[in-house]
Amino acid sequence: MIIIATIVSFLCGSLMFSYWIGRLLKLDIRQIGDGNPGAANLWSGAGYKYGLLGVALDFLKGYIPVLLIVNSGILTDEELIPVVLAPVVGHAFSPFMKFNGGKAVAVSFGVWSALTQFRVTLIYAIILAILLIVTRMIKGGEKSTSAEDGLQTTMGFLLLSVYLLYAGYPMYTRWIWLGNFLILVWKNREDLAQLIKDKVRSFFAS
């Protein structure tokens, strides 16, 4: 049952709705922005209406399978770990995209919403909002770059671990968090590396 549920969740997560919507619009969103086949580039290329549709579908493909499996009660807490992570892995490494998927932010919101009844995702959203405001203040109101967005996403998820510990969430949720965090770091590794290089270069230049 664990294997079946994990495979189903993975396949749900691997459905690249934003990319497919773009193709229906005769638009390859991989040629936009950071080349990520996700909702952010669909938003940039096709407008906010299609972008919101992409976000919603990416959220639901993580939310629905996890919610159904959690509510069914057929798996124990520890058995849920691969099932909950599977949609995130599916989106990040989609077989429909030659295992080169999106950054898995919206689908992460989906799985955590299903797992914790939106509590953890609300905290994560608040953390990201605070990080965005701080970044804008530091940059004097200038819009964040793609690399900075990646940093905010991963740093925000890292800070989320503090809430999980403070709120007393069980150990299996912390393992899910760790897997999710590592995926986010991997998908944002190039942006994070570029930011580090820029900071080092700026430091020595000064």
Side-chain angles (χ1 to χ4, degrees), residues 1-202:
M1 185 57 68
I2 298 173
I3 295 173
I4 293 173
T6 300
I7 292 174
V8 171
S9 294
F10 174 83
L11 290 175
C12 287
S14 67
L15 300 174
M16 303 304 292
F17 292 114
S18 294
Y19 174 75
W20 292 336
I21 292 171
R23 297 306 293 176
L24 288 174
L25 299 173
K26 302 186 185 308
L27 178 70
D28 187 352
I29 60 175
R30 295 174 301 178
Q31 305 301 319
I32 299 172
D34 59 2
N36 171 43
N41 286 337
L42 178 62
W43 189 309
S44 297
Y48 76 92
K49 292 182 180 179
Y50 288 109
L52 287 175
L53 176 60
V55 170
L57 291 173
D58 284 349
F59 174 89
L60 289 173
K61 72 183 185 181
Y63 180 77
I64 291 176
V66 172
L67 182 69
L68 292 175
I69 293 167
V70 169
N71 287 347
S72 70
I74 58 177
L75 300 178
T76 65
D77 291 347
E78 287 72 20
E79 291 171 343
L80 285 172
I81 295 173
V83 177
V84 175
L85 283 173
V88 182
V89 176
H91 181 83
F93 308 101
S94 174
F96 298 108
M97 301 292 296
K98 298 181 180 179
F99 297 97
N100 184 25
K103 292 186 175 179
V105 178
V107 70
S108 295
F109 269 96
V111 299
W112 282 99
S113 294
L115 185 64
T116 66
Q117 297 179 326
F118 292 90
R119 294 186 185 92
V120 168
T121 45
L122 175 59
I123 299 299
Y124 186 37
I126 292 172
I127 292 172
L128 290 180
I130 293 172
L131 291 176
L132 176 61
I133 292 171
V134 171
T135 302
R136 289 284 179 88
M137 290 176 62
I138 293 174
K139 298 186 66 178
E142 185 180 343
K143 187 178 180 181
S144 302
T145 64
S146 174
E148 289 168 340
D149 289 339
L151 177 63
Q152 292 170 24
T153 299
T154 51
M155 285 302 298
F157 208 81
L158 179 61
L159 293 173
L160 186 62
S161 64
V162 177
Y163 170 72
L164 293 178
L165 291 171
Y166 172 79
Y169 277 90
M171 182 59 69
Y172 82 95
T173 61
R174 300 174 199 175
W175 283 112
I176 293 172
W177 170 86
L178 178 60
N180 203 158
F181 176 68
L182 292 175
I183 292 170
L184 291 177
V185 170
W186 178 257
K187 296 302 295 185
N188 288 283
R189 67 192 185 282
E190 293 180 1
D191 289 338
L192 296 176
Q194 186 60 49
L195 277 175
I196 293 172
K197 290 179 181 177
D198 291 343
K199 293 297 182 182
V200 172
R201 191 179 297 115
S202 176

